[in-house]
Amino acid sequence: MEKVLVVGAGGVGSVTVTKMAMHPEIFKEITLASRTVSKCEDIAASVKARTGVAIRTAQLDAMNVADTVALIRETGAELLVNLALPYQDLVLMDACLEAGIHYLDTANYEPEDEAKFEYKWQWAYQERFKEAGLTAILGAGFDPGVTSIMATWVRKHKLDGIRLIDILDCNGGDNGKPFATNFNPEINIREVTAPARHWESGAWVESPAMTRKHEFDFPEVGKKNMYLMYHEELESLSAHFPEIERARFWMTFGDAYINHVTVLQNVGMTGIEPVMHNGQEIIPLQFLKTVLPDPSELGELTKGKTCIGDIITGPAKDGSAEKTYYIYNICDHEECYAEVGSQAVAYTTGVPAMIGAAMVMHGIWREPGVWNTEQLDPDAFMEMLNSDGLPWQMVELDGHPEF
């Protein structure tokens, strides 16, 4: 395998194809496609300037299966990397099945008209991909993605199982804007305003959005308030590691961010139901997205670091009492911008997408069927994190933190 088609020309797409171009021995032909081809052309020019590698560009409506199949056949792509909106996951999986190529994405499917993302729709493709002899990798970003692979690595090498897992996502960066999201505003705000859920004692426990917070001292970032949220890897981890007693996801937000989202929600600007405005039907959240800063343009302004990782407790492999490990990555916004022209949030998603694609291209992750990243062997992926810009660290804690 040597030809890849990347769909989506936002900040993550830019990072992914730039990092792919740095591995011409793996990705010999790269095509970047988007509804707006000028975005692809701008990224291609940046890739050429940074790496000397020329990538192809194409205009594509990713909701049109026939057009996607035609582009796959025209380019000869053997893997489609979906970095578009999660609403488009199923139609792109359909296109891969029709064209006979492998599939990888970074976020699970979510209906456009309902703020409810879950894996059931994509897991339903298991037999179709298996019978076709094709592989579909779900959630190969950082969270989900690296956070799940870290859990698998700890489970494989350090623990006999996972009893408790807390996933902590901290962005300590500052872009100087009064209010801006770190990634696609529409997806970000849908996530933040959804009810929080976590897995405990074999059931989902729900609480109102942004009502549970704790302060945590993040390595190289410092003390930040983190809020309990629902995130898709909780669903897949609890399904594939049934021994888990409790799984939670936490993300940091500053007070100004919380205040802005609260006001926007109170006045109806985060709504996803159509409303009439001057005789035209609009969706408030999509309108809000158009007036907020574009996250892909914030790289030069953003300073500081991210810290994302897992705190995991379980029985030790050496037969001793339980052990707790904190495994995490530190990523510097300014270093990311110097390397690929992006802030760290896009970098921490785009680099894993490239590595996941490399795993498929190499045949390391190519079992027919539909797989979440925690179901796959973690070792080669974890090695590439260290060599390709996202080195990880691990420390043993005295016990699982009480929060």
Side-chain angles (χ1 to χ4, degrees):
M1 292 180 63
E2 59 185 24
K3 299 179 181 180
V4 62
L5 170 62
V6 177
V7 179
V12 175
S14 177
V15 173
T16 301
V17 295
T18 303
K19 297 294 283 192
M20 284 178 172
M22 294 176 181
H23 283 284
E25 77 284 2
I26 302 174
F27 305 99
K28 292 184 171 59
E29 290 188 28
I30 304 165
T31 302
L32 178 62
S34 172
R35 184 187 299 271
T36 307
V37 72
S38 61
K39 291 185 177 181
C40 300
E41 292 167 348
D42 289 344
I43 292 170
S46 173
V47 171
K48 179 71 172 178
R50 292 178 184 276
T51 69
V53 173
I55 67 171
R56 298 182 57 177
T57 62
Q59 193 279 333
L60 177 66
D61 176 1
M63 294 300 288
N64 188 308
V65 173
D67 286 356
T68 304
V69 171
L71 181 60
I72 290 169
R73 290 174 175 161
E74 177 191 338
T75 61
E78 299 149 292
L79 168 67
L80 186 149
V81 176
N82 171 16
L83 305 177
L85 293 171
Y87 323 137
Q88 298 165 323
D89 289 0
L90 301 187
V91 290
L92 289 174
M93 292 177 78
D94 288 335
C96 288
L97 285 168
E98 185 172 335
I101 71 168
H102 306 290
Y103 171 89
L104 179 144
D105 67 30
T106 60
N108 70 348
Y109 176 71
E110 180 177 359
E112 192 168 7
D113 59 354
E114 182 182 10
K116 185 176 182 179
F117 49 98
E118 57 184 314
Y119 278 117
K120 69 176 184 181
W121 291 284
Q122 291 180 280
W123 284 347
Y125 279 69
Q126 170 67 246
E127 290 306 314
R128 292 173 64 190
F129 270 84
K130 189 172 182 179
E131 290 172 3
L134 298 172
T135 300
I137 308 295
L138 309 182
F142 205 108
D143 43 344
V146 175
T147 50
S148 298
I149 296 164
M150 285 175 165
T152 304
W153 188 91
V154 169
R155 193 173 183 265
K156 177 179 179 180
H157 295 286
K158 297 293 182 179
L159 301 175
D160 274 336
I162 296 173
R163 188 172 69 84
L164 304 173
I165 179 168
D166 281 279
I167 300 167
L168 281 56
D169 184 327
C170 169
N171 178 17
D174 183 7
N175 54 45
K177 298 287 185 181
F179 179 68
T181 60
N182 303 319
F183 56 94
N184 185 293
E186 186 176 352
I187 304 305
N188 178 266
I189 292 173
R190 281 170 70 128
E191 282 188 1
V192 171
T193 56
R197 285 193 297 156
H198 73 276
W199 180 258
E200 188 165 2
S201 301
W204 292 108
V205 180
E206 187 169 299
S207 54
M210 313 307 284
T211 56
R212 291 187 61 183
K213 74 174 181 178
H214 287 277
E215 186 180 74
F216 187 80
D217 192 358
F218 289 90
E220 298 188 35
V221 175
K223 294 181 180 180
K224 296 286 183 181
N225 286 330
M226 61 181 190
Y227 292 79
L228 185 70
M229 291 177 56
Y230 176 71
H231 224 242
E232 58 254 55
E233 61 263 52
L234 299 181
E235 179 186 16
S236 62
L237 285 168
S238 60
H240 298 133
F241 298 158
E243 77 275 12
I244 291 178
E245 292 181 12
R246 189 185 69 202
R248 301 182 297 187
F249 182 93
W250 305 83
M251 184 174 284
T252 63
F253 298 99
D255 292 342
Y257 182 97
I258 297 298
N259 290 338
H260 274 87
V261 170
T262 300
V263 171
L264 290 168
Q265 189 171 23
N266 287 343
V267 299
M269 285 304 300
T270 64
I272 61 174
E273 296 295 327
V275 298
M276 296 302 297
H277 174 69
N278 288 341
Q280 185 174 359
E281 191 176 82
I282 66 166
I283 295 175
L285 181 55
Q286 292 181 356
F287 172 78
L288 178 62
K289 175 184 174 181
T290 66
V291 298
L292 288 176
D294 183 342
S296 67
E297 298 176 358
L298 297 175
E300 189 173 11
L301 301 175
T302 309
K303 318 294 181 186
K305 297 179 180 181
T306 65
C307 178
I308 314 174
D310 305 340
I311 299 178
I312 301 170
T313 296
K317 282 194 176 292
D318 61 11
S320 62
E322 279 194 334
K323 290 188 176 182
T324 299
Y325 293 97
Y326 182 21
I327 182 169
Y328 60 90
N329 161 262
I330 303 289
C331 194
D332 187 287
H333 284 285
E334 292 176 88
E335 292 178 3
C336 295
Y337 186 76
E339 183 189 357
V340 299
S342 165
Q343 37 88 345
V345 175
Y347 190 91
T348 54
T349 303
V351 173
M354 179 279 290
I355 297 174
M359 296 297 102
V360 178
M361 303 293 272
H362 280 312
I364 298 171
W365 290 358
R366 215 185 295 166
E367 180 75 18
V370 176
W371 312 106
N372 290 92
T373 53
E374 69 269 10
Q375 296 177 277
L376 307 167
D377 190 274
D379 291 352
F381 188 103
M382 293 288 281
E383 289 176 10
M384 279 194 75
L385 285 176
N386 283 329
S387 63
D388 282 81
L390 292 175
W392 51 275
Q393 306 174 55
M394 186 173 69
V395 295
E396 186 174 346
L397 305 180
D398 291 336
H400 208 91
E402 294 294 331
F403 51 67

